[in-house]
Amino acid sequence: MLKRIILFLLTNLLVIATISILLSVLKIQPYLTKHGINYQTLLIFCLIWGMGGAFISLLLSKFMAKMAMGVVVIDPQRATREERFLIDMVYGLARRAGLSAMPEVGIYNSPELNAFATGPSQRHALVAVSSGLLNTMNRDEIEGVLAHEIAHVANGDMVTMTLIQGIINAFAMFLSRIVAYAISIALSRGDEKSEGMSNAVYFGLTILFDILFTLLGSILVAAFSRWREYRADAGGAQYAGRDKMINALVKLQRGIELQDDRAPNFAAFKISHRDSLALFATHPPLEDRIARLQKITHVR
């Protein structure tokens, strides 16, 4: 727990420091002036913070996943027989998907039946599998899971999710500051004596609307995440075979209660996750995913 907190704080400090330096280098002036909001400056400010934070997180994603989940990357030169089987399976699927560079392959110690893919690009990806999945599934089911993760890498889902999250972040920041400013001005009614109170109201409302608009935006992010899971399932069926993909999801249904929440930020990148609210769910119900795969007839 302490390690995760330290990693979280260090990551956020790095994001803040990097973006602050970037704003200084670009000489971005304050967007609030005595004449009101400079919308062009505000837009640039929000894009840098929204997109910058998202892309810094993407660049650090592989490192953070290894640290937070305790992923042990397999050295192909020193792999045991069991590890060699895992590497060969991932590499074979990667070749079928047309990847030009083989992803790193790792194992993390957890009872959950899960796997995830992360990394800043197709050429620098990581596919990690839980020890619980390896100990529970047979080889065909493992191949189905790995094919799903390779499909995420081949589809560029990590970058696409980052782009969408960055746009949502920027939009939420932009809109929240405009609405907060309009309300604070309306409350002050041009009274100079209430200028200090107006500033306090503005910053308070900015935080409130940041949270509200980001929450609403996360509904769109979750909707895209669910769609990309269906697409990765179809890709997994193409690379490994439909039956292997279906059997893997059926096995995941039985182990859905075993969930590792050590790194909640990576939940969206796992093959399955138990979500409570449908609007904010990053994964569709497993029964729906199985039903869609059963309708596919053009794969082996």
Side-chain angles (χ1 to χ4, degrees), residues 110-282:
S110 172
E112 73 170 355
L113 274 62
N114 232 319
F116 66 87
T118 190
S121 68
Q122 288 184 352
R123 296 186 62 85
H124 299 90
L126 166 71
V127 174
V129 183
S130 72
S131 56
L133 183 143
L134 292 175
N135 294 330
T136 304
M137 290 189 170
N138 61 41
R139 293 201 171 194
D140 284 350
E141 292 162 347
I142 293 173
E143 186 177 0
V145 170
L146 293 175
H148 174 97
E149 299 306 330
I150 289 297
H152 276 312
V153 177
N155 293 337
D157 285 339
M158 289 79 78
V159 175
T160 308
M161 280 286 286
T162 300
L163 283 170
I164 291 175
Q165 187 64 66
I167 292 170
I168 293 295
N169 291 344
F171 177 78
M173 290 180 68
F174 185 76
L175 190 57
S176 67
R177 280 151 182 77
I178 292 175
V179 175
Y181 181 76
I183 294 175
S184 64
I185 291 299
L187 291 176
S188 68
R189 297 178 182 177
D191 186 357
E192 293 183 2
K193 294 182 179 180
S194 61
E195 183 178 346
M197 182 178 294
S198 176
N199 290 336
V201 170
Y202 168 75
F203 286 111
L205 288 174
T206 296
I207 294 172
L208 176 64
F209 286 120
D210 270 342
I211 296 171
L212 176 62
F213 293 139
T214 300
L215 189 64
L216 292 174
S218 66
I219 296 175
L220 297 177
V221 176
F224 172 77
S225 180
R226 293 192 297 272
W227 174 80
R228 76 190 181 98
E229 287 302 316
Y230 286 126
R231 187 172 65 158
D233 286 343
Q238 179 182 348
Y239 304 144
R242 186 187 65 170
D243 291 343
K244 291 179 182 178
M245 193 67 241
I246 290 174
N247 291 338
L249 294 180
V250 170
K251 184 64 70 71
L252 288 171
Q253 274 186 310
R254 301 172 190 169
I256 194 65
E257 297 303 319
L258 295 171
Q259 188 166 297
D260 192 334
D261 294 320
R262 279 181 291 177
N265 290 341
F266 289 98
F269 295 100
K270 294 181 177 180
I271 187 171
S272 68
H273 188 259
R274 189 180 70 253
D275 298 289
S276 52
L277 296 174
L279 278 177
F280 298 95
T282 57

Side-chain angles (χ1 to χ4, degrees), residues 97-111:
L99 297 183
S100 58
M102 296 299 104
E104 287 187 306
V105 182
I107 301 172
Y108 65 98
N109 187 28
S110 172

Side-chain angles (χ1 to χ4, degrees), residues 35-93:
H35 303 295
I37 293 180
N38 182 321
Y39 291 100
Q40 182 178 352
T41 302
L42 175 60
L43 180 60
I44 295 172
F45 174 86
C46 293
L47 284 172
I48 289 176
W49 273 103
M51 300 297 291
F55 272 96
I56 290 172
S57 297
L58 176 66
L59 291 173
L60 294 173
S61 61
K62 192 160 67 167
F63 170 77
M64 292 295 294
K66 291 176 182 177
M67 295 297 103
M69 299 301 296
V71 176
V72 177
V73 176
I74 301 172
D75 182 349
Q77 304 302 320
R78 300 180 180 178
T80 64
R81 187 173 65 177
E82 291 77 12
E83 292 171 343
R84 186 76 254 171
F85 139 74
L86 191 62
I87 288 178
D88 289 344
M89 187 174 284
V90 171
Y91 286 6
L93 291 166

